[in-house]
């Protein structure tokens, strides 16, 4: 069962999990039937990935070879490239699973493109009306070449680049990366993503390091509180 707070953000603690990172500790936990491998990504790791490799020993043998051949990792959490450590095996797996899930969501989105496009436009217009009612001058960006920015809201010297997301699933890192680039392209002073479905944990972390504010539609009326 999903746990969602008042702002529509889902609690992903059970999905992400907290498995031991040491090879021997992993074997011991699995052998003892530890609860740390009973749900979420750790469960998938034990039941699918380890079975594919045949053993924990062989998995880590292959993982160490991968680390030697790929000594760095593009860390989306801190937003920079760093050295790949042996203990990063779980971060790597979790990242790959999230990317696969988001790709499936995007693929499903593309198959419903026409209907979702109209839905997205309605949500953009809804956000624009809220901003206008609260004193903002709002302009829409072109449908093509928007660089990840749907609306630009202005008051005095403020120029807020806004991306509006009316999705059924929590928004991930891709939107944060898009709005960060869009802010530079449109010479914005601030960047904001408005979502009806909340954001993933990694999106929150990446947004914090890139100074992107993540809010819901009900917070738009108090937009200035989130940029000062």
């Amino acid at each position: 069962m999903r746990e969602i707070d008042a702002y529509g953000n889902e609690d992903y603690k059970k999905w992400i999990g907290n498995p031991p990172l040491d090879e021997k500790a992993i074997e011991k936990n699995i052998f003892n039937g530890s609860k740390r491998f009973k749900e979420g990504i750790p469960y998938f790791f034990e039941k699918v990935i380890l079975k594919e490799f045949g053993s924990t020993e062989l998995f880590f043998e292959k993982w160490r070879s991968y680390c030697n051949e790929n000594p760095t990792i593009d860390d989306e959490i801190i937003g920079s490239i760093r050295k790949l450590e042996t203990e990063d095996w779980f971060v790597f797996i979790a990242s790959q699973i999230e990317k696969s899930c988001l790709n499936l969501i995007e693929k499903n989105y593309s198959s419903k493109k026409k209907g979702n496009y109209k839905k997205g436009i309605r949500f953009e217009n809804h956000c624009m009306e809220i901003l206008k009612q609260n004193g903002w001058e709002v302009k829409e960006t072109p449908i093509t070449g928007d660089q990840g920015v749907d609306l630009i809201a202005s008051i005095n010297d403020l120029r807020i680049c806004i991306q509006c997301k009316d999705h059924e699933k929590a928004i991930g890192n891709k939107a944060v990366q898009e709005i960060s680039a869009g802010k530079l392209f449109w010479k914005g002073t601030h960047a904001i993503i408005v979502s009806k479905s909340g954001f993933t944990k990694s999106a929150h972390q990446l947004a914090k390091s890139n100074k992107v504010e993540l809010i819901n539609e009900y917070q738009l009326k108090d937009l200035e509180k989130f940029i000062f």
Side-chain angles (χ1 to χ4, degrees), residues 20 22-34 37 56:
D22 178 72
E23 180 179 347
K24 291 183 178 179
I26 292 170
E27 290 180 343
K28 183 178 179 180
N29 273 256
I30 292 176
F31 180 78
N32 293 331
S34 171
F37 287 92
T56 308

Side-chain angles (χ1 to χ4, degrees), residues 46-127:
E46 179 193 352
K47 299 300 182 182
V48 179
I49 296 177
L50 281 189
K51 282 190 175 182
E52 185 71 23
F53 281 89
S55 68
T56 308
E57 182 181 1
L58 185 55
F59 168 80
F60 277 98
E61 180 183 324
K62 296 295 185 181
W63 170 248
R64 282 188 284 270
S65 296
Y66 178 86
C67 292
N68 289 332
E69 295 174 7
N70 303 272
T72 61
I73 183 173
D74 188 357
D75 194 324
E76 296 180 348
I77 302 300
I78 64 175
S80 65
I81 296 175
R82 64 170 176 82
K83 182 181 178 182
L84 182 63
E85 305 287 352
T86 304
E87 293 77 12
D88 286 325
W89 67 268
F90 184 67
V91 172
F92 181 84
I93 287 175
S95 176
Q96 294 305 308
I97 290 174
E98 180 175 349
K99 287 178 181 178
S100 295
C101 291
L102 291 174
N103 285 337
L104 287 172
I105 292 170
E106 192 66 30
K107 184 178 180 180
N108 184 55
Y109 171 78
S110 296
S111 67
K112 303 175 185 176
K113 188 173 181 181
K114 187 174 181 180
N116 283 352
Y117 173 75
K118 292 180 179 178
K119 181 181 176 184
I121 291 297
R122 286 197 297 269
F123 186 57
E124 284 180 29
N125 290 338
H126 174 60
C127 292

Side-chain angles (χ1 to χ4, degrees), residues 195-212:
S195 169
K196 297 186 74 172
S197 56
F199 303 88
T200 64
K201 181 179 179 181
S202 58
H204 276 288
Q205 292 171 323
L206 185 61
K208 184 176 180 180
S209 64
N210 283 274
K211 297 182 179 180
V212 174

Side-chain angles (χ1 to χ4, degrees), residues 175-204:
V176 179
Q177 294 164 346
E178 288 176 346
I179 196 68
S180 297
K183 173 189 167 186
L184 294 175
F185 181 82
W186 292 103
K187 296 180 172 56
T189 58
H190 298 77
I192 286 179
I193 303 176
V194 186
S195 169
K196 297 186 74 172
S197 56
F199 303 88
T200 64
K201 181 179 179 181
S202 58
H204 276 288

Side-chain angles (χ1 to χ4, degrees), residues 123-133 138 140 151:
F123 186 57
E124 284 180 29
N125 290 338
H126 174 60
C127 292
M128 182 164 56
E129 285 305 310
I130 293 174
L131 290 165
K132 287 182 176 180
Q133 288 171 11
V138 187
E140 297 176 88
L151 304 173

